[in-house]
Amino acid sequence: FCNFHTFLVIHYRLRSLCRLQILQGQMMSSQAGTEVLLEKVGNAGVITLNRPKALNALNVNMIRLMYPQLKKWETDKETDIVIIKGAGGKAFCAGGDIRAVTEAGMVGDPLAKDFFREEYILNNTIGTYQKPYVALIDGITMGGGVGLSVHGRFRVATEKTLFAMPETAIGLFPDVGGGYFLPRLQGQLGLFLALTGFRLKGRDVQKAGVASHFVESQKIAALEKELVDLKAPSIEDIARVLDSYQKKSSLDAEKPFVLEKHIDVIDNGLNQVLLAYNIPWCFCICETQTLAKMSPMSLKITFKQIQAGRTMTLQEVLVMEYRLSQACMKGSDFYEGVRAVLVDKDQSPKWNPSTLEEVSDKSVEDCFLSLEEHDLKL
C-alpha cells in the first residue's frame, strides 16, 4: 500500500509538472500579449482584460504587462486617466489563475511565490495611484478581479456585476488587500463576506460599499467614451460624470439591500458567535451549512486577518497577506480545495484539520510570522 501510495503522489506531481510546463509555454507564446490590451485613447490609458473564455482570469503574464504600463502612465504628462475593463460581456475578472498557481505549488515552482508577490505589488500600485483610476466592473468580479478594482478611486458596478471573495471554499483566504477593504465596510459586513463568500449582485455591490457608483450596463460604452473625451479632468470632474450616469440609471434603485434585514444580526452577533466558533447566525440568512463546507484553517486565518487589518495600512495588509499566501502554499487545504472545487469538481474537500476545534491557535499564529528576507517589499 505504501509503495502504491508513493506512486500516486509521484504520478500526480509529474502530471502537475507537465501541466505547468504547458501553461508556461502558453504564457511565453505570442498569444500571451493579447491577454491584456493596453491602449492610449486620447488622454486616457485603457486596459482591457482579454481572456473572455477564461472569464478574464488574471495570470502572471497579465500582471507583468499591466504593472510597467501603469507606472509609465502615472508619470506621463499626456495621460490624465486610466480605465480598466473586461472583454467578452460576462466578466470583468473572475479571479486569479488559481489552477496555474496550484500546479506550481505542487512541484515547488517559483510561480507559487512570484504570482502572489507580483499581484500584491500591482494591487498596491492601484491603491496608491496618483491619477484617476476607473474600474468598469461590468460582470463577474471575484478574487483577483476585486484586487484590480476595489483599491482604485472609482469602481462602477452594473446590474451584471457579481461580486464575491470565495477563497475560504478552496483553502485560501480573501487576499489582494481583502484584509484592508473588507473591515472598512459597514459594521461586520466585510467579515461576513470574507468568511462565507456570500455573493453580492448588481446595485447591492454599491450599497455594500464595494463599488462607488452604479450605472446600467447598456450605458457603460457611452460612459467610457465621455470619460475618454475629458480634457485634463480633476477627480471632481470624473465624479460629476459618474454621478450623472448614476442618476440616469434607475434600475433596482428602490430595491432594498439584500442583507438589510440581517445587518443587525451580523453586526451584533458575529463577533461573539465566531469567538465561540459556533455558526447558528448563519442559518437565519439562508447560509445553511455554508461555513461547515469551508476550510476550518482558512476560516480561522481569515477571522484573524480581518480583525488585524482594521488598523493596518494597505501596505501592511499586503505584507501580512503575502505571508499568509506562502503558509497556504506549504499546507494541504489549498491543493485539496482546488481539487474538489475546480479540478475534480466533486465539491467534497477533505480538510486537514477537519474541524475548527482541531485548528490550534499556534498553527494559525505561525501563518502570520515574518518571512524575514523573503517578506513582500513594497
Side-chain angles (χ1 to χ4, degrees):
F1 172 78
C2 289
N3 288 337
F4 181 65
H5 177 72
T6 302
F7 168 77
L8 286 177
V9 171
I10 293 172
H11 171 72
Y12 187 70
R13 291 197 171 188
L14 284 174
R15 189 174 65 174
S16 296
L17 180 59
C18 290
R19 285 179 183 166
L20 182 64
Q21 289 172 336
I22 292 170
L23 286 166
Q24 289 174 332
Q26 290 172 341
M27 285 176 1
M28 294 173 67
S29 72
S30 58
Q31 181 186 354
T34 66
E35 292 180 334
V36 56
L37 306 178
L38 305 164
E39 304 170 281
K40 192 73 183 301
V41 184
N43 279 14
V46 180
I47 301 171
T48 306
L49 307 174
N50 193 38
R51 297 182 69 203
K53 290 182 180 178
L55 298 177
N56 299 321
L58 182 67
N59 62 34
V60 74
N61 176 69
M62 296 163 74
I63 295 169
R64 289 172 179 172
L65 290 170
M66 281 189 281
Y67 174 74
Q69 187 62 68
L70 279 172
K71 299 300 283 186
K72 181 180 178 181
W73 282 336
E74 191 170 30
T75 57
D76 178 19
K77 293 181 179 179
E78 295 184 359
T79 302
D80 297 324
I81 182 175
V82 171
I83 299 169
I84 185 168
K85 60 183 180 176
K90 290 184 178 179
F92 168 69
C93 173
D97 194 350
I98 291 300
R99 287 190 66 167
V101 176
T102 306
E103 303 291 356
M106 285 292 296
V107 298
D109 188 272
L111 180 64
K113 295 183 177 70
D114 296 345
F115 178 83
F116 291 105
R117 184 180 65 252
E118 295 180 40
E119 182 182 28
Y120 296 174
I121 290 171
L122 179 59
N123 298 151
N124 184 60
T125 299
I126 294 167
T128 58
Y129 211 61
Q130 297 301 301
K131 291 183 177 178
Y133 183 95
V134 182
L136 303 176
I137 53 174
D138 184 24
I140 300 168
T141 305
M142 298 185 183
V146 177
L148 294 178
S149 55
V150 75
H151 304 299
R153 185 65 177 260
F154 301 106
R155 295 90 57 201
V156 183
T158 75
E159 70 276 13
K160 292 163 58 178
T161 304
L162 177 63
F163 163 91
M165 295 296 283
E167 289 81 3
T168 56
I170 58 167
L172 206 56
F173 60 96
D175 65 335
V176 297
Y180 182 77
F181 82 87
L182 287 167
R184 286 163 175 79
L185 300 182
Q186 56 182 299
Q188 298 289 356
L189 178 60
L191 181 58
F192 170 76
L193 296 174
L195 293 169
T196 65
F198 187 87
R199 296 182 173 197
L200 295 172
K201 300 176 183 178
R203 199 178 281 270
D204 284 334
V205 180
Q206 185 205 14
K207 290 180 178 178
V210 175
S212 61
H213 292 79
F214 176 87
V215 174
E216 291 165 6
S217 185
Q218 64 181 5
K219 296 180 171 67
I220 288 293
L223 168 62
E224 182 184 346
K225 184 179 187 306
E226 193 158 334
L227 290 173
V228 164
D229 289 343
L230 290 173
K231 303 300 180 186
S234 65
I235 291 292
E236 292 73 25
D237 293 333
I238 294 167
R240 274 194 291 272
V241 171
L242 294 174
D243 290 345
S244 71
Y245 274 81
Q246 179 168 272
K247 288 176 183 175
K248 292 184 284 188
S249 299
S250 59
L251 185 66
D252 294 334
E254 304 304 318
K255 192 175 178 181
F257 181 47
V258 66
L259 292 171
E260 185 175 295
K261 293 180 180 179
H262 312 294
I263 287 295
D264 286 345
V265 175
I266 291 171
D267 287 350
N268 298 329
L270 190 50
N271 272 333
Q272 296 89 330
V273 169
L274 282 169
L275 286 171
Y277 297 109
N278 194 358
I279 56 172
W281 64 275
C282 184
F283 301 140
C284 69
I285 47 177
C286 303
E287 285 295 293
T288 306
Q289 296 183 339
T290 295
L291 291 188
K293 296 178 181 178
M294 306 305 189
S295 158
M297 186 68 178
S298 289
L299 289 175
K300 284 204 173 182
I301 287 174
T302 298
F303 184 78
K304 184 175 175 63
Q305 169 207 6
I306 301 301
Q307 298 305 101
R310 291 181 188 278
T311 58
M312 288 181 169
T313 64
L314 174 60
Q315 292 71 40
E316 290 169 337
V317 163
L318 291 169
V319 170
M320 171 181 69
E321 290 180 356
Y322 183 71
R323 294 170 182 172
L324 296 178
S325 76
Q326 296 312 295
C328 290
M329 292 301 101
K330 293 175 183 175
S332 61
D333 275 8
F334 173 62
Y335 303 103
E336 175 60 10
V338 171
R339 180 206 63 76
V341 176
L342 301 177
V343 181
D344 297 339
K345 299 182 180 179
D346 57 32
Q347 310 301 322
S348 299
K350 305 296 187 291
W351 303 124
N352 183 25
S354 60
T355 66
L356 285 165
E357 291 75 17
E358 293 176 271
V359 181
S360 70
D361 290 343
K362 184 180 186 305
S363 65
V364 175
E365 292 289 343
D366 286 349
C367 296
F368 289 79
L369 292 176
S370 171
L371 299 174
E372 305 296 343
E373 70 270 19
H374 300 296
D375 259 339
L376 179 67
K377 308 293 192 299
L378 294 172

